[in-house]
Amino acid sequence: MAKPQLKPKARNVVESLFHFDLSPHSLSSPIKSLSISQSLLYLGTQSGRLILLSFEPSSPNTLSFLKSVVVGESPVESILVLSELNRVLILCDECLFLVDDLLVQPVKKVGFLKGVSVITKRVKTSESECTNLLETGSGILPNSSSASTSQRLLQKLGGGIKSNGVKVKEQEQTRKGSDVFAVIVGKRLILIEFVNGNVLILKEIQCIDGVKTMVWLNDSIIVGTVNGYSLVSCVTGQSGVIFSLPDVSSFPLLKLMLKERRVLLLVDNVGVVVDVHGQPVGGSLVFRRSPDSIGELSMYAVVVGDGKMELYHKKSSVCIQTVTLAGEGVIPCIATDGEFGGGNVVVVAVPTKVICYRKVPAEEQIKDLLRKKDFKEAISLVEELECEGEISKEMLSFVHAQVGFLLLFDLHFEEAVDHFLQSETMQPSEVFPFIMRDPNRWSLLVPRNRYWGLHPPPAPLEDVVDSGLAAIQRAIFLKKAGVETAVDDDFLSNPPSRAHLLEQAIKNIIRYLEISREKELTNLVKEGVDTLLMYLYRALNRVHDMEKLASSENNCIVEELETLLDDSGHLRTLAFLYASKGVSSKALAIWRILARNYSSGLWKDPAVENDLPNGSTDVISGREIAATEATKILEESSDEDLILQHLGWIADINPVLAVKVLTSEKRATQLSPDEVIAAIDSKKVEILQRYLQWLIEDQDSNDTHFHTLYALSLAKSAIETFEAEISLENRATARLEEAKCSDFGRDSIFQNPVRERLQIFLQSSDLYDPEEVLELIEGSELWLEKAILYRKLGQETLVLQILALKLEDSEAAEQYCAEIGRPDAYMQLLDMYLDPQDGKEPMFKAAVRLLHNHGESLDPLQVLEICPFNLHQIQY
């Protein structure tokens, strides 16, 4: 079943080029057939005359009469031009005639073929899909028993060549410039070939009676009768019915659609499309009326009938254009230039007048649709033309860009950008004038291309919106007066606000520039894209996007943005931008200002303001962010003066960040330790200690000065901590908690207590001055530390006294004796336990432990000497 008729979209596909009236040349007989070959037009009349006209397809009013000859007394049914042979083959009086293409020589009759009703030329889509009929061996040979009397007669006459130009089959014949045809003679289908002006019989096939129309494509011959359509193989001679026609039906008609390699079979007003095997493919073409003649022009089927010419889109079956030719009842005929519709000219004869139509250039068709604001139809047309190979892919991109600009000025910003993005040739610089007024840094980058002049010149988005709103107001006024306009009906019924339109315009231009960043662009265009993208972000106050762009790799021009961002208060963005461009000093100065303003409460931190309960703001968070960003910059900087300049305020906010700055290994050149140590605030003890620890442990420094300085700093902190703990023990709980809170910051760098760190360092390092450290802690209660130092100095007795008497660590004392390795060491320890002095009671349990663990190492007599009257107690 044919698909329903679609509503046609009016468009001028062809336009009248010229017309020619035959009456002044005494040629009043109606035209029956016509054919075009380059600039020559052949007309066959009802009276049997062949008329030759010449014309220039690209110029109007150039059709001129050349000559006419009489072919026969009956109508000229068919005209076939043999281009390679410079001959014209004519079907008239049921015979075939040959004449030269300029009608100079007399007309010659192909005498052996009589009773010819239909003739068609073989069309090959490719040599690989066609059988060479001379090599099949299945043709009718002159001596075949089935050959006709005329063929046998030709053979008897000898040589196979007659004076009338007819030649029988001869495989050795030179085949330069050949054309192969099929002719219908009664029920016979005869295949012939013209070779160098002679006729060669290839094959004779038994066919059906009453053939009215015929098409030969590759190895398939499709014939049409009043009863239906059949397919015949030119190789095997076998035939089969494609389908039958109804009892009451229009005259059968076939049209070869070579571009699609298909054949159109007419059934009343429906064109059924079949492939080379006779199988229906695709959709059918539904015409408004049953046509008298059908032509092909590019993507369109051209049909004529009832005094009208109509162009139908071959894929959609939509009628694109209708042209009135003459009154109803007149039967016109049609021809197109180029073999099978590959040209640009359509010629229609009605009945003594020749009208030539030229296909409107694709560019003009597209322009016409764009002027009517039928953008979807325009794009659809361009895509079809590109698919057909009639326009380039660059033209498709060009039209997408043109449609985008038209939509932009019509205030349809989202759709405009959608088309911009589909254009592969549009440059991002083409939207620059919509963002920044000329002249500017990038004015010379903007292509001076107005496309087809269908839209106004580029202007800032504010001006585009204002002009669009003014057009809407005018349209509303005209509509009230009953005048139709091209303004969108949605805008007329619900006029948009300026703010909304401007926001939509900026959002969509942002979308275009963001995607354009991923393309391969020149450096200057990249700079324009990123800089103007920042402009648009700022216009919508999209702080997150501004900071994301500024902090990432970008091509922004700082000089174009610093005043803008400074005046609008987007200092964080400016700081990120400075940092990305290597202007570290300015970036750090901004972060310092931000930290101070957050600290003083002058500014609220936008990142956390809305996340806190009761609308309170987190001042510390803003300071931390500023210090963190500054730290990132300083970690990679080798500018010592700059680093030490900003170290102080970072340390005030977060000592850990200060340490990261000093100990960073990201920089190319490390800092001078002496300069760093001198620059660290004396109150920032932990920063100094962490830096010294990094120098010693991570950088493997062997400088005794640094080792001693680190040990002294740890010792001093340990003394202060010890004294503070003693003091806290005598205070109330509330005061204790308050002191812990105030001391919290000191524990933010190190996880281990200071005394533990001191003890570990004193034991592990041999490069510090133990006497200097010992002098510092001499009057303190850091007995274990003293023991370590005395041990470094070789003061064994003092070490034992501290371990045994001060710390009362029997296990450590005994371990130290074992390290000394002398038996008298245990005796010395026993003596200390039994006679601790300074009014301290003897440590009998420790003494018993020592005798139990190491008695075999002690001299019994010496033991008895030091404890004669306490022996019983010791044993106890």
Side-chain angles (χ1 to χ4, degrees):
M1 180 180 295
K3 62 183 179 181
Q5 181 71 43
L6 300 175
K7 181 180 180 181
K9 294 187 177 181
R11 172 159 49 90
N12 290 331
V13 177
V14 296
E15 59 184 0
S16 177
L17 187 62
F18 50 74
H19 66 275
F20 188 84
D21 192 352
L22 299 178
S23 300
H25 299 275
S26 301
L27 303 172
S28 58
S29 177
I31 298 172
K32 175 65 175 178
S33 58
L34 57 85
S35 181
I36 303 174
S37 177
Q38 297 179 353
S39 60
L40 299 177
L41 175 61
Y42 299 91
L43 308 176
T45 68
Q46 293 278 5
S47 61
R49 182 178 290 272
L50 180 66
I51 303 171
L52 176 61
L53 307 176
S54 69
F55 68 97
E56 177 56 48
S58 60
S59 302
N61 301 321
T62 58
L63 187 64
S64 60
F65 174 81
L66 293 182
K67 194 173 184 179
S68 70
V69 295
V70 175
V71 179
E73 298 179 355
S74 301
V76 176
E77 300 290 344
S78 297
I79 305 172
L80 298 175
V81 180
L82 311 183
S83 301
E84 294 184 359
L85 300 177
N86 298 322
R87 297 286 189 273
V88 179
L89 183 63
I90 308 159
L91 173 58
C92 181
D93 293 335
E94 296 185 344
C95 294
L96 295 179
F97 297 87
L98 274 175
V99 67
D100 65 284
D101 56 354
L102 296 179
L103 309 187
V104 175
Q105 300 176 4
V107 178
K108 295 182 179 181
K109 183 177 181 181
V110 183
F112 81 99
L113 290 175
K114 297 182 179 180
V116 178
S117 59
V118 182
I119 183 171
T120 188
K121 181 180 179 181
R122 184 184 194 183
V123 177
K124 300 179 180 180
T125 57
S126 67
E127 292 294 334
S128 62
E129 297 180 8
C130 299
T131 303
N132 188 341
L133 298 178
L134 285 175
E135 297 176 355
T136 59
S138 59
I140 301 176
L141 298 175
N143 58 357
S144 172
S145 60
S146 60
S148 65
T149 303
S150 60
Q151 289 173 318
R152 291 194 297 271
L153 179 61
L154 287 173
Q155 184 182 20
K156 290 180 180 179
L157 291 175
I161 299 180
K162 294 288 292 179
S163 59
N164 61 1
V166 178
K167 182 177 181 181
V168 295
K169 182 175 179 182
E170 199 173 283
Q171 295 190 25
E172 293 80 8
Q173 172 69 40
T174 302
R175 305 180 66 249
K176 179 181 178 181
S178 63
D179 290 281
V180 180
F181 298 85
V183 297
I184 296 293
V185 179
K187 293 185 178 182
R188 292 183 298 156
L189 174 59
I190 303 175
L191 310 183
I192 62 175
E193 182 175 6
F194 285 84
V195 182
N196 295 330
N198 300 312
V199 179
L200 178 66
I201 301 174
L202 298 176
K203 182 178 290 188
E204 181 176 317
I205 301 172
Q206 190 67 26
C207 192
I208 57 179
D209 192 19
V211 174
K212 302 297 183 181
T213 180
M214 179 169 55
V215 167
W216 188 359
L217 180 61
N218 295 339
D219 289 346
S220 299
I221 302 174
I222 300 178
V223 297
T225 68
V226 293
N227 297 320
Y229 296 97
S230 300
L231 184 142
V232 181
S233 171
C234 70
V235 179
T236 65
Q238 295 179 344
S239 64
V241 177
I242 298 176
F243 60 81
S244 301
L245 292 176
D247 294 337
V248 180
S249 179
S250 62
F251 197 79
L253 182 61
L254 291 169
K255 175 60 184 175
L256 176 63
M257 302 292 188
L258 185 59
K259 288 179 70 69
E260 293 80 15
R261 301 183 181 184
R262 296 171 182 174
V263 180
L264 185 144
L265 289 64
L266 185 66
V267 183
D268 291 330
N269 68 322
V270 178
V272 180
V273 181
V274 299
D275 61 15
V276 69
H277 305 294
Q279 298 297 319
V281 291
S284 300
L285 298 179
V286 180
F287 307 123
R288 293 175 176 173
R289 57 188 62 84
S290 181
D292 299 313
S293 183
I294 302 177
E296 181 185 18
L297 186 69
S298 182
M299 302 182 296
Y300 310 98
V302 186
V303 300
V304 292
D306 289 340
K308 292 183 174 61
M309 178 178 70
E310 296 175 332
L311 280 78
Y312 288 84
H313 194 283
K314 287 191 286 187
K315 290 184 178 180
S316 65
S317 187
V318 174
C319 182
I320 303 299
Q321 184 179 6
T322 300
V323 178
T324 300
L325 302 173
E328 295 187 5
V330 177
I331 301 178
C333 54
I334 185 171
T336 55
D337 73 323
E339 191 170 271
F340 305 102
N344 297 309
V345 174
V346 176
V347 177
V348 181
V350 188
T352 60
K353 181 185 294 185
V354 177
I355 308 173
C356 183
Y357 295 91
R358 179 184 64 179
K359 186 172 71 172
V360 177
E363 188 174 299
E364 294 302 322
Q365 295 184 50
I366 299 167
K367 286 182 184 178
D368 183 58
L369 291 171
L370 295 181
R371 291 188 186 99
K372 298 175 181 177
K373 298 188 180 296
D374 197 348
F375 302 131
K376 292 182 179 179
E377 180 70 12
I379 293 298
S380 177
L381 172 61
V382 175
E383 290 175 344
E384 290 176 358
L385 291 171
E386 193 266 337
C387 184
E388 296 289 334
E390 296 191 23
I391 64 171
S392 65
K393 192 173 183 179
E394 288 72 18
M395 175 58 74
L396 176 60
S397 292
F398 174 88
V399 175
H400 270 300
Q402 174 69 89
V403 170
F405 283 114
L406 289 170
L407 287 167
L408 189 144
F409 281 98
D410 283 349
L411 307 184
H412 295 288
F413 302 109
E414 183 176 358
E415 296 175 59
V417 169
D418 288 342
H419 283 283
F420 288 161
L421 294 174
Q422 293 182 72
S423 173
E424 297 181 3
T425 58
M426 179 176 170
Q427 294 297 315
S429 56
E430 294 183 52
V431 303
F432 289 178
F434 293 96
I435 306 171
M436 181 178 287
R437 293 184 184 275
D438 286 333
N440 57 66
R441 180 187 293 263
W442 300 282
S443 294
L444 296 179
L445 295 180
V446 180
R448 300 304 172 188
N449 185 356
R450 287 287 308 281
Y451 292 88
W452 286 327
L454 302 178
H455 63 269
L461 290 175
E462 295 89 340
D463 296 351
V464 173
V465 170
D466 290 340
S467 298
L469 288 173
I472 292 173
Q473 293 302 319
R474 288 194 299 270
I476 293 175
F477 176 79
L478 292 174
K479 186 176 182 180
K480 292 179 179 178
V483 180
E484 293 295 327
T485 65
V487 176
D488 194 319
D489 290 338
D490 292 338
F491 286 162
L492 297 179
S493 59
N494 186 22
S497 67
R498 184 180 189 274
H500 174 73
L501 287 174
L502 196 55
E503 180 182 0
Q504 292 302 310
I506 295 174
K507 281 183 177 179
N508 283 283
I509 296 298
I510 285 175
R511 179 165 63 96
Y512 175 71
L513 292 180
E514 286 177 338
I515 296 176
S516 297
R517 294 189 77 214
E518 308 301 322
K519 299 179 179 179
E520 291 292 332
L521 306 173
T522 65
N523 289 333
L524 289 176
V525 175
K526 287 180 180 179
E527 291 174 356
V529 168
D530 284 2
T531 304
L532 297 179
L533 190 56
M534 187 69 77
Y535 264 87
L536 298 179
Y537 284 151
R538 190 205 65 85
L540 297 183
N541 198 33
R542 288 167 56 166
V543 177
H544 174 74
D545 291 323
M546 294 171 65
E547 295 181 359
K548 182 179 178 182
L549 175 60
S551 60
S552 63
E553 183 178 351
N554 64 79
N555 294 280
C556 294
I557 301 299
V558 178
E559 295 81 357
E560 294 285 338
L561 295 171
E562 53 188 349
T563 301
L564 178 76
L565 297 176
D566 193 7
D567 292 345
S568 62
H570 293 96
L571 295 185
R572 285 166 53 97
T573 300
L574 184 56
F576 284 127
L577 191 59
Y578 279 138
S580 70
K581 299 304 176 183
V583 190
S584 301
S585 58
K586 290 187 176 182
L588 291 167
I590 292 176
W591 288 121
R592 188 171 189 173
I593 293 172
L594 291 174
R596 184 170 60 248
N597 289 341
Y598 288 134
S599 175
S600 63
L602 294 176
W603 285 8
K604 295 180 180 180
D605 182 9
V608 298
E609 181 178 358
N610 297 325
D611 296 335
L612 297 174
N614 302 322
S616 62
T617 58
D618 186 354
V619 176
I620 298 299
S621 176
R623 298 175 63 218
E624 288 278 350
I625 292 173
T628 300
E629 296 301 331
T631 298
K632 293 178 182 178
I633 299 172
L634 294 176
E635 280 185 297
E636 298 183 1
S637 174
S638 296
D639 188 338
E640 188 171 282
D641 293 338
L642 185 66
I643 294 170
L644 299 181
Q645 176 188 349
H646 291 276
L647 180 65
W649 68 268
I650 295 176
D652 290 338
I653 295 173
N654 191 328
V656 175
L657 296 177
V659 171
K660 289 182 65 177
V661 171
L662 297 177
T663 61
S664 172
E665 297 185 8
K666 298 178 181 179
R667 58 178 59 99
T669 304
Q670 290 299 328
L671 308 177
S672 168
D674 292 329
E675 295 294 333
V676 171
I677 292 171
I680 295 176
D681 189 345
S682 59
K683 297 179 181 179
K684 303 295 188 294
V685 177
E686 286 197 340
I687 296 177
L688 174 62
Q689 292 174 0
R690 181 64 187 89
Y691 178 67
L692 290 171
Q693 181 187 30
W694 175 76
L695 286 176
I696 295 168
E697 297 180 3
D698 296 346
Q699 301 300 304
D700 299 325
S701 174
N702 293 324
D703 193 321
T704 57
H705 172 67
F706 297 149
H707 282 252
T708 302
L709 183 60
Y710 183 43
L712 290 172
S713 179
L714 289 174
K716 185 177 180 181
S717 297
I719 293 172
E720 293 174 354
T721 301
F722 181 81
E723 292 175 351
E725 290 174 351
I726 297 299
S727 176
L728 287 174
E729 290 177 358
N730 300 322
R731 296 182 183 179
T733 303
R735 297 290 294 168
L736 175 62
E737 294 299 326
E738 179 183 350
K740 288 182 179 179
C741 291
S742 65
D743 197 48
F744 177 78
R746 292 202 310 165
D747 297 330
S748 59
I749 295 180
F750 299 102
Q751 295 181 350
N752 300 329
V754 66
R755 286 198 64 183
E756 181 180 337
R757 289 184 278 116
L758 173 61
Q759 293 163 7
I760 293 173
F761 179 70
L762 292 179
Q763 289 177 339
S764 61
S765 175
D766 295 324
L767 298 177
Y768 61 88
D769 185 350
E771 292 183 352
E772 191 173 349
V773 179
L774 188 59
E775 181 181 353
L776 177 63
I777 67 173
E778 188 67 39
S780 70
E781 296 296 321
L782 304 182
W783 293 109
L784 181 56
E785 291 80 354
K786 291 178 184 180
I788 297 171
L789 292 170
Y790 282 130
R791 181 180 177 183
K792 293 282 186 180
L793 295 171
Q795 301 291 331
E796 297 174 0
T797 302
L798 293 177
V799 174
L800 279 176
Q801 286 178 347
I802 293 173
L803 294 176
L805 304 180
K806 293 296 184 181
L807 300 178
E808 297 182 358
D809 190 345
S810 300
E811 183 177 354
E814 293 174 12
Q815 178 64 34
Y816 183 62
C817 289
E819 292 177 8
I820 295 174
R822 298 192 310 274
D824 64 316
Y826 290 108
M827 184 57 68
Q828 187 179 7
L829 179 58
L830 180 62
D831 184 52
M832 290 179 186
Y833 283 151
L834 297 178
D835 187 16
Q837 299 181 0
D838 295 332
K840 190 172 184 181
E841 293 293 331
M843 302 170 64
F844 294 121
K845 290 184 178 181
V848 171
R849 170 191 169 91
L850 178 60
L851 291 173
H852 177 73
N853 292 335
H854 304 283
E856 70 280 359
S857 300
L858 298 173
D859 186 346
L861 293 177
Q862 290 182 354
V863 172
L864 291 174
E865 287 178 2
I866 64 174
C867 54
F869 56 88
N870 290 329
L871 182 59
H872 174 71
Q873 294 173 306
I874 295 175
Q875 292 174 345
Y876 177 82

